[in-house]
Each structure stands twice: as structure tokens, then as C-alpha cells.
Amino acid sequence: MTTASKEICKKLADKLGVVLDFREEAGDPWALIPAERWKQACLTARDEPELSFNFLRSLCGVDRPDDGVIEVVAHLFSYQHRHALVIHTNTDRSASRLESVSSVWPAAIWHERETFDLFGVDFTGNPDLRRILLPEDWVGHPLLKDYEEPDSYRGIPTTRPGYEKKKFGPQLKKPAPKKPAPKVEKKPEGGEAPKGTAGSAEQK
Amino acid sequence: MTEVLQSTPDREELILNMGPHHPSTHGVLRFIVHTDGEIMRKAVPDVGYLHRGLEKIAELQTYPGYMPFTDRINYLEVMFTNMAYATAVEKLLGTEVPPRAEVLRVLVCELNRIASHQITLGCITMDLGAFTPFVHLLRERERINDLMEALCGNRLTFNYMRIGGVSQDVPDEWLKQLEAFLDHFEPVIDEFDSLISYNEILIKRMGEVAVICAEDAVGFGLVGPNLRASGVDWDVRRDLPYGAYPQMDFQVPVGMGEKGTVGDCFDRFIIRVEEMRQSCKILRQCLANLPEGDIKAKVPKMPRPPKGEVYSCVEGARGELGVYLISDGTPKPYRLKWRTGSFAGLSIIEHISRGLMIADLVAVIATLDVIAPEMDR
Amino acid sequence: MGSFSEYLANIGRSIVTLGDGLAVTFSYLLRKPFTIQYPDRTEKPVVAMLPERSRGILEIDINVCTGCSICAKQCPIDCIHIEVVKDEETKQRVLKRFDIDVAKCMFCGLCVEACPVSGLRHTHEFEGSMSDVHRLMLSFVDKPQPVAKPAKKDEPAPETKPVGSIVRKLLADWWKPANPTSGGPR
Ligand code: SF4
Ligand code: SF4
């Protein structure tokens, strides 16, 4: 899978005319697409006969507060060639915005709605960008690592009365001391969770 | 349940609310139906009533500790969600699953597939007005539940698989009971066919209704039986084999347009009947070649997969069920995302509902086999 | 004319296929019923009919528990509460509290798998309705008692009480108000 992925990635890069950042770690390799070429890359991936990725398996977000980005990840698959490709792109965490690919794969409409709902990524060009899983008046985007669960929603407490509060707190790690710590001022006051427990000390 | 939200006499459009507790919407699921008389202009699904934040929970649990939560993704597909999650973690860890565990996994998955299709088929007929077949299939599912309970201790939330294998070996006599069940069940499928499958009224309700062409099916990301009903010959078990499936010999039914056009509701219905037969076939092969040996590979108690990400999919009863898992080297997943068939299945409804009768919407929901907990997660 | 004959043919097919289906339905009139009437018309109590591995309400035999807290660490939702203190006089570790919150428990069995001495186990009990949700915090320790020593290799495993006997006693109190001393959620 790895070499195949690399070749596919190279083909895509050639067609786009850019050099793609190709990463291999444990598990699946992936390619990093610059955000401004995102839609173009998706279109190419679908339309190029050698690639023909006609099936969008999933599109989701990943919050990386340490890097100050929200990644958007798309898993593509081609039924003709039976090959898969994982592409990532980075969007700015404070003003997350990306061009929608809903015109490339209609399946993306709902996947983007979900990503918008849970991460707050604004997909420009999506015809129906509303919250999908959470109620329309929900505050915040729960899959962000610094999300704090509210005490109540419309007067309904989020903890059962009588039980100790075990809320989802922010899951931020402390900024690494070596790094110039880009986002310290943005961290909410609950961010002092001990390092290494991923901030969920309340959970265990 | 169904109430008028708004009516605009000038455009002759009536906006109806259907659900979220409607007998024919599967689970808590709501539709906003724009109608012109009996004809729908569009039906907009409104989901999220069963959102339990299972992806967020994953980030707070250890890898083995998340396994019981996967049971709750979809109450009809528990073995598949278990398996998708287990294989994802195993891929990251690089664990080899012992052969006996692989075959046991296939065995319980196929048993689960039969149980899931039984509910689906029963619900399709019930939504279209025939109650008896539902009870028949529920009776057969009860036998499967009993088998599952004897195997892993619970009737719905099995929590049977573990990272690296399965939790328990089969109890004595269990394989014999399974064989007895298969001997009993295979004729019941034929009986079901004569009971309802080729009933003229059912055919008239489903044939030619809500045809989904192959292009749409792929574009909207339909998977599994819904995709195959549209004529796309694709099955993860056969085409991207995993586990013990390469050893198994089975056919993949594809929509033929038997009573109408390829991709209509009837195709989606009859494919599931055929899949139950194929599952029986796989089960018999599993019984015949169940290897001896370990049922669980050696995995650390608190696994810390190396940094990286993986997408792992299995062919569930509702098609490709994927887990996208990112590890950052700690004992807890960094991010976990479920890719489920129902989510994609429901997203196509707004597109295909145009021009259908209101009564057909029920047939569409039922045959697309959408399960509310699975899409809301 | 063609459409009219088609109309008649439709009706004919409907009747024939309906007849097929009804024949199957009628055949079930002559078969043994599959359902049983719950709860009081079964031959045995339902609890006795469940398979061996059935995962019901948890119980703990504190006479074999070593107080190692592995089970509490394994539980994904923290429904086991164990308190072990060291007795100043006898220098023994004393089990002060062993509560299981059955209201939260999802019967997944991870804790049972982890227990090294099989002191924690699933019973077959499942009818655990309570008049007060806080009563579902089952307390297994009445008065503090020293923890058991893990059995040596050659020693026989210590005897355990029959499965289900402990929890049945607790569940029999379902009508009482919540126990104020259990230390659980109030
Ligand atoms: S069965 Fe599962 S949820 Fe219940 S106490 Fe044990 S580990 Fe916790
Ligand atoms: S029940 Fe078992 S695992 Fe739990 S503290 Fe006692 S001995 Fe340890």
C-alpha cells in the first residue's frame, strides 16, 4: 500500500504542478495538500483517469492546537483502480476556512456539515452548511481539544443530579517549553491539566 | 407525530413534520417533508437526536477501554463495529491475530449480519404494512441472540472482540447448536420468500420506486447492499479481503432489476435476502475449517500504538464501516472517526425524494436501512 | 384493453401470492409456539435459564478480594469504588468500601476479566429495579474487614459464595430508601 500510495501521490502532484508533502508514519501514509489547492486537488483526483477517485470515504477534521491548525482529512477511494489515498490539509485554527468539495462529491455535503458542526470549519461553497448532529443553538464545537462542556443546555443539567461532576474538560497539553508557544494567550483557564494525561485528569 | 408545519397556499406547498417519533422512521429521526398533494417536493432529514459524542469519548478512553463503547455505535451491527475498531488498533500496533480468532471473528460477524438483515427485512415489510413477516424474522433473530448470549454473555452489546483476538473461546456444544440453527434457518429463508418477498403488493410498493443510479450511489458514498443494489459489484469482504475472508467462498449478490429497474427499492430488499443465504454458506465453511489454537495474540495491557494514523474498514451489514484512528503515542486515541453506512445512506434522501409519493418515503428509508444511532454516533 | 387485462392479471397475481403467504402463516397454527410467557409461567425461574456466561449484575465476594483495585482501573466509566486503608493496630490492609454503581455499569465485563482472583463476577440477575436510582449503588462491605491474601500456587483457591447469592440479598432491599452511609452519590 505504501509504494502504491506514493506513486498515486506523485501522479497527483504532477498533475497539480506542486510538490506534495508525503508523510509516512505507522499505519497509512498521507499527503499534505496546500489549503488553497484543496478543491483543485480533489477535482483532479476525481477526474484524472489514472486516479479516478470517485468515492469519498470520509471527510473529517482533526484538531491540532499545538500547531495552531485544524486539519481536514479526506479518505478517497477508487472503485476502478482499487486504490486509496489519504489527503490532509491545514486550516488556520482561529479562522478555519476551506473551500467546499461538495460539488466534486455530493457525499461531501454531509461530511462537511459534520466537520463544521464538530470543529467549526467554515466550508465556503457548501450549499447547506448547518449544524447536523448538534442542535442549532449549541455553543461551541465539541471535538476541539479546548472545548469545555457547558453545565447545562436550555436549563437541562448535563450531569445527573447527585453525581459528582465529571465533565469533559479541555484536553490541551501544556505547551512544550522549548517551543516559542504560539497560542498561550488563547488557552482557557482550565488548560493547566497535567502534561501526559492529555488533560483528562478528571476522567480517571 | 406528523403535523403541518407551514402551508403556503399560493405555491401549493405544504411543509410537514414527520418524526422524530414516527413509527416508520427508524429510530429517532425526523424529516421535514415539502409536499404538493401526495407528491413530495423534497424531504429533508434532520438527524442528531441520538448524538452521544462517541468520537469525543474515544479521546478520553484507553484503547481497550473504548471497546464497550463501540457496541453502542449501532445496536444491530455490534460485531462489525467491534471488529472495525479492533482491526484499526491492530494495524497500528502491527499485531498478528491468531488464525482461530480470525475465523471466530468471521463466524460471529456473519451471524450478526444475518441478525441485522432479519431486522432490516422485517422492518421493510412492516413499514409497508405487513406485520407478520417481521414477527417471523424476529423469532429467528431470537435464536441468534440466544447463541450470542451463550457465546459472549450478552444479547445485544456483545463486547466480544479484543485488540488482538476475541475475548472467549466458543463454549462446548456451541458449534453444534450453531449448526442446528443453520439447518433450521436455511429453509426459513425460502419460507420467507414465499411468505412475502414475491408478494405482488410488496413488489408494487417497491419495484421502480426511488431508483438510485450507480453514479449517484457512488457519488453520495452509498456502501454495502445499497451500493450493490445499484449495480456496482463491490464488496469489501471480497475485494479488499481482511481477516479470514480470503479463505471463504461466497457470491456477492448484485442488483438485477428483477422487478423493475436496477437500483430500485425491491433490489435493495431482495439483495439482503440473498445475502442471508450467502452468510449461511460462509458460516458453514467456518464450521468446517475452524482451526485450533490461540484466540488472542499477546498485546500489552495498556497498548501505546506508535504515532501515526490508520483507516480500517470492514464490510458491515450496512456496508463499509470504517474507523479512522490517529494515535499520538499515548495510551489514548488522539482522534477517532467512524465512517458509517447509514450516514451516507441518509444523505441521499433529499436528492432522491423529489417526485416520490409520501408513502414511498417510508419504503426508501426502510430499504436504505438507516439506523439512527449509527449516523448520529 | 391491454391495460384492463393487465389490471385483472395484477389482481390475480396478488391473490395467488397472498395465498402463498397465508399458507405459510396458517402452517404456524399447527406448530409449537415459540414464545414463553414471562415472568411467572416459565418452568424454571428465568435467571436459571440463562446461559452460563450471561453477564448480569456484578457482585463481589469480599472474602476473596485482595483489594488490588485492578477492576476499578479497568472500568471505562469508573463505576467501581474501592477504598482500602491500612489498619494502624494490626498493620493489615482493610477493605473499607467496595461499591459498584449498577446504574452506570454497562455490563461490559472488562473488570471481571481483569480480576486476578475471580472475586468479581457477573451473576445472572438482571431484574434490578429500584425505587430510588441512588440505591443502585450496591455496597458490598458492611463493616471494614481485612483483605484476603492471594492464594499461593499450591494452595487451593479459597471458597467463594455461590454466584448470585450476595447480590440477590442486596436487590431484595429495592423498596428501601437510599442508604445514607454508602458514601455513594446522594
Ligand atoms: S462491567 Fe464494565 S462498566 Fe460495569 S463495572 Fe465492570 S468494567 Fe465497569
Ligand atoms: S475484585 Fe478482583 S480486581 Fe477488584 S480489587 Fe478485588 S481482587 Fe482486585
Side-chain angles (χ1 to χ4, degrees), chain C residues 60 65-71 82 98 115-117 120:
Chain C
I60 166 75
C65 172
T66 59
C68 63
S69 296
I70 291 179
C71 51
I82 303 176
F98 200 118
C115 178
V117 294
L120 188 64

Side-chain angles (χ1 to χ4, degrees), chain A residues 28 57 61 63 114 145 168, chain B residues 60 309 334-335 339 377:
Chain A
D28 300 341
R57 265 175 168 166
D63 187 22
E114 190 190 323
K145 295 280 177 186
F168 289 116
Chain B
L60 305 164
E309 58 169 66
Y334 187 77
R335 167 93 169 97
R339 188 259 186 258
R377 303 182 297 273

Side-chain angles (χ1 to χ4, degrees), chain C residues 68-89:
Chain C
C68 63
S69 296
I70 291 179
C71 51
K73 282 194 204 102
Q74 282 293 322
C75 178
I77 42 181
D78 301 336
C79 39
I80 304 182
H81 304 269
I82 303 176
E83 233 174 86
V84 180
V85 292
K86 197 152 190 185
D87 194 323
E88 285 304 320
E89 289 162 29

Side-chain angles (χ1 to χ4, degrees), chain C residues 28-177:
Chain C
Y28 274 88
L29 268 183
L30 311 172
R31 299 191 207 177
K32 205 168 148 267
F34 186 73
T35 45
I36 54 171
Q37 294 203 350
Y38 174 81
D40 48 0
R41 305 230 186 126
T42 53
E43 291 157 27
K44 289 185 277 182
V46 178
V47 170
M49 287 158 56
L50 295 177
E52 176 68 33
R53 292 180 181 179
S54 185
R55 300 205 298 261
I57 295 176
L58 290 166
E59 80 173 7
I60 166 75
D61 191 337
I62 50 170
N63 294 329
V64 296
C65 172
T66 59
C68 63
S69 296
I70 291 179
C71 51
K73 282 194 204 102
Q74 282 293 322
C75 178
I77 42 181
D78 301 336
C79 39
I80 304 182
H81 304 269
I82 303 176
E83 233 174 86
V84 180
V85 292
K86 197 152 190 185
D87 194 323
E88 285 304 320
E89 289 162 29
T90 55
K91 297 276 182 268
Q92 264 176 326
R93 289 166 72 238
V94 174
L95 191 61
K96 231 176 117 188
R97 172 179 176 210
F98 200 118
D99 293 354
I100 299 179
D101 191 347
V102 186
K104 261 173 37 180
C105 175
M106 54 180 170
F107 305 103
C108 64
L110 291 184
C111 51
V112 175
E113 259 168 53
C115 178
V117 294
S118 313
L120 188 64
R121 59 218 181 173
H122 283 291
T123 64
H124 289 181
E125 298 292 328
F126 60 94
E127 295 156 313
S129 57
M130 290 282 172
S131 55
D132 178 353
V133 66
H134 297 314
R135 261 210 87 71
L136 280 172
M137 186 73 139
L138 300 180
S139 296
F140 291 90
V141 180
D142 297 330
K143 54 177 199 300
Q145 71 169 80
V147 296
K149 294 248 161 24
K152 302 251 165 48
K153 273 235 175 70
D154 38 348
E155 270 177 41
E159 261 182 43
T160 51
K161 293 200 184 131
V163 174
S165 59
I166 307 167
V167 84
R168 219 168 293 143
K169 257 191 241 145
L170 291 172
L171 291 181
D173 292 344
W174 65 272
W175 45 271
K176 284 195 194 156

Side-chain angles (χ1 to χ4, degrees), chain B residues 81-371:
Chain B
T81 46
N82 273 197
M83 177 130 178
Y85 176 67
T87 48
V89 183
E90 282 152 12
K91 269 190 196 166
L92 271 183
L93 285 169
T95 312
E96 244 349 276
V97 181
R100 185 177 174 87
E102 289 281 25
V103 177
L104 279 177
R105 281 181 173 188
V106 168
L107 201 147
V108 290
C109 277
E110 291 306 321
L111 206 52
N112 201 179
R113 186 187 314 275
I114 295 178
S116 171
H117 282 345
Q118 282 168 343
I119 289 288
T120 307
L121 294 171
C123 284
I124 294 174
T125 56
M126 190 169 69
D127 287 351
L128 297 180
F131 190 71
T132 316
F134 177 68
V135 186
H136 279 237
L137 288 180
L138 215 60
R139 181 193 66 218
E140 299 309 321
R141 176 168 174 266
E142 194 58 29
R143 296 180 205 265
I144 296 184
N145 280 355
D146 284 345
L147 281 173
M148 290 294 201
E149 192 180 15
L151 174 65
C152 51
N154 226 330
R155 301 173 69 82
L156 273 183
T157 50
F158 307 130
N159 189 20
Y160 179 58
M161 293 186 198
R162 295 287 178 274
I163 296 163
V166 296
S167 68
Q168 305 176 63
D169 209 337
V170 287
D172 311 334
E173 298 291 307
W174 193 81
L175 295 174
K176 287 216 185 68
Q177 288 167 10
L178 177 59
E179 199 162 0
F181 164 75
L182 288 178
D183 291 341
H184 160 85
F185 182 63
E186 275 163 339
V188 171
I189 305 178
D190 297 333
E191 197 183 86
F192 179 76
D193 269 351
S194 56
L195 179 67
I196 192 78
S197 296
Y198 290 98
N199 183 301
E200 189 65 18
I201 301 170
L202 199 79
I203 291 170
K204 282 271 175 296
R205 285 291 307 271
M206 297 203 294
E208 304 278 11
V209 170
V211 178
I212 300 176
C213 64
E215 196 184 323
D216 273 354
V218 173
F220 276 92
L222 291 196
V223 284
N226 298 337
L227 180 71
R228 289 193 281 276
S230 296
V232 182
D233 190 2
W234 179 264
D235 189 318
V236 182
R237 290 176 291 173
R238 184 195 62 195
D239 298 317
L240 301 172
Y242 57 91
Y245 280 111
Q247 308 157 26
M248 306 294 162
D249 170 36
F250 60 99
Q251 269 101 47
V252 177
V254 179
M256 314 270 275
E258 205 177 332
K259 300 283 173 191
T261 320
V262 176
D264 61 5
C265 287
F266 186 78
D267 272 354
R268 291 195 280 278
F269 173 83
I270 208 71
I271 267 193
R272 293 190 160 93
V273 178
E274 191 51 41
E275 275 191 8
M276 290 206 295
R277 290 207 178 88
Q278 296 300 329
S279 289
C280 290
K281 206 168 138 189
I282 299 177
L283 280 172
R284 286 203 188 274
Q285 293 169 36
C286 290
L287 284 176
N289 348 305
L290 186 63
E292 293 296 325
D294 284 345
I295 54 156
K296 194 161 180 280
K298 278 243 172 313
V299 179
K301 270 223 178 84
M302 204 52 81
R304 288 164 185 264
K307 229 171 152 185
E309 58 169 66
V310 73
Y311 178 87
S312 161
C313 60
V314 299
E315 175 80 19
R318 278 155 203 79
E320 181 176 317
L321 180 74
V323 171
Y324 172 48
L325 179 66
I326 303 182
S327 156
D328 59 350
T330 58
K332 295 175 182 179
Y334 187 77
R335 167 93 169 97
L336 189 138
K337 148 103 185 161
W338 289 94
R339 188 259 186 258
T340 57
S342 298
F343 190 77
L346 204 67
S347 66
I348 201 173
I349 285 188
E350 189 173 339
H351 177 71
I352 56 169
S353 58
R354 190 182 186 84
L356 291 180
M357 311 274 269
I358 293 179
D360 291 341
L361 179 63
V362 172
V364 178
I365 308 166
T367 55
L368 279 175
D369 194 10
V370 291
I371 296 293

